[in-house]
Amino acid sequence: MAEHRTMQRGALLDAARSLLSEGGTEALTFPALAERTGLARSSVYEYFRSRAAVVEELCAVDFPVWAAEVENAMQRAETPEAKIEAYVRRQLDLVGDRRHRAVVAISASELDAGAREKIRAAHGGLIAMIVEALGDLGHAQPRLAAMLLQGSVDAAVRRIELGVAEEPGVIADTAVAMVLRGVSG
C-alpha cells in the first residue's frame, strides 16, 4: 500500500511539474491535477492539503536536484571566473528542463512563508558558493554582488523563457560576458 501511495504522490508531483511548466502557477489546480493523474479530486486532497503544499513538496524534491547540477558544474571549474561562468551557464542550460521550469514558476508565484523559506535555503547554498568565488576575486561586496549577479541570471532566464528573437546560446554568452566584466570591475 505504501508503495502505491508513493507512486501516486510521484505521479501528482510529475503532473504538477507539467502544469507549472505549461501554464505557470495559475495552471496548478486540484481539478487539473486530478484530471492529469486520473485520480478523483478528493484523492488529491489525501496527498496534499493545498496548492502551497504541492509547491512546497516540489521545492523540497526539485530544488536540491537543480542546485546540485549547478554546484557540480561550479566544482569542476578551476578558477573563480570559471566558477562564476559555470554558475551562470548551468542555470541557463537548465531552462528547458521541466524541473527548472517548475522552479521558475514557483519562484515567481505567491508562496506561503514555509515554501519561500525552503527556496531561500536551497538558493542560499548556491549563493554561498558564488559569494566565495567573488571573494576569491577580491570583490569588496561579494554578498551584494552575488545577489545582483543572480538578478542578471534571472533576467536571462526570463528572456529565454519568452522565446524572444535571440537564441538561448546568445543570451547565455551575453549574460556571462556582462557578469564577468561586472565582477572584474
Side-chain angles (χ1 to χ4, degrees):
M1 184 64 197
E3 194 176 311
H4 180 66
R5 282 191 68 79
T6 304
M7 277 175 53
Q8 287 196 326
R9 191 174 202 89
L12 283 165
L13 289 175
D14 211 42
R17 274 183 206 104
S18 294
L19 289 164
L20 282 166
S21 90
E22 291 159 20
T25 42
E26 300 76 49
L28 180 60
T29 64
F30 277 35
L33 282 172
E35 191 182 321
R36 286 282 167 105
T37 54
L39 292 169
R41 200 182 311 182
S42 58
S43 299
V44 178
Y45 282 99
E46 286 174 31
Y47 292 91
F48 299 105
R49 65 189 182 284
S50 65
R51 219 163 69 143
V54 177
V55 165
E56 212 166 312
E57 181 132 348
L58 271 180
C59 293
V61 173
D62 288 357
F63 239 104
V65 172
W66 176 81
E69 293 257 351
V70 178
E71 195 172 328
N72 291 340
M74 287 179 76
Q75 283 169 344
R76 285 193 302 273
E78 298 192 359
T79 64
E81 289 90 347
K83 283 184 189 309
I84 291 165
E85 177 165 355
Y87 176 83
V88 174
R89 282 198 189 279
R90 195 65 196 116
Q91 287 189 67
L92 298 180
D93 288 345
L94 291 169
V95 172
D97 184 302
R98 273 192 329 153
R99 274 198 168 82
H100 184 270
R101 295 185 69 89
V103 162
V104 169
I106 289 165
S107 304
S109 74
E110 288 303 303
L111 290 179
D112 66 23
R116 264 202 306 276
E117 204 36 62
K118 282 200 170 85
I119 288 178
R120 255 200 298 279
H123 250 302
L126 285 179
I127 295 287
M129 291 184 72
I130 208 70
V131 168
E132 189 182 331
L134 289 162
D136 291 345
L137 280 177
H139 208 285
Q141 296 274 348
R143 192 144 194 88
L144 173 60
M147 297 301 175
L148 296 173
L149 190 158
Q150 184 59 46
S152 296
V153 173
D154 294 342
V157 164
R158 279 192 300 277
R159 192 105 186 126
I160 291 170
E161 296 240 305
L162 286 171
V164 289
E166 308 91 4
E167 288 294 311
V170 172
I171 296 170
D173 291 346
T174 305
V176 166
M178 274 185 59
V179 162
L180 288 176
R181 275 200 296 274
V183 297
S184 69

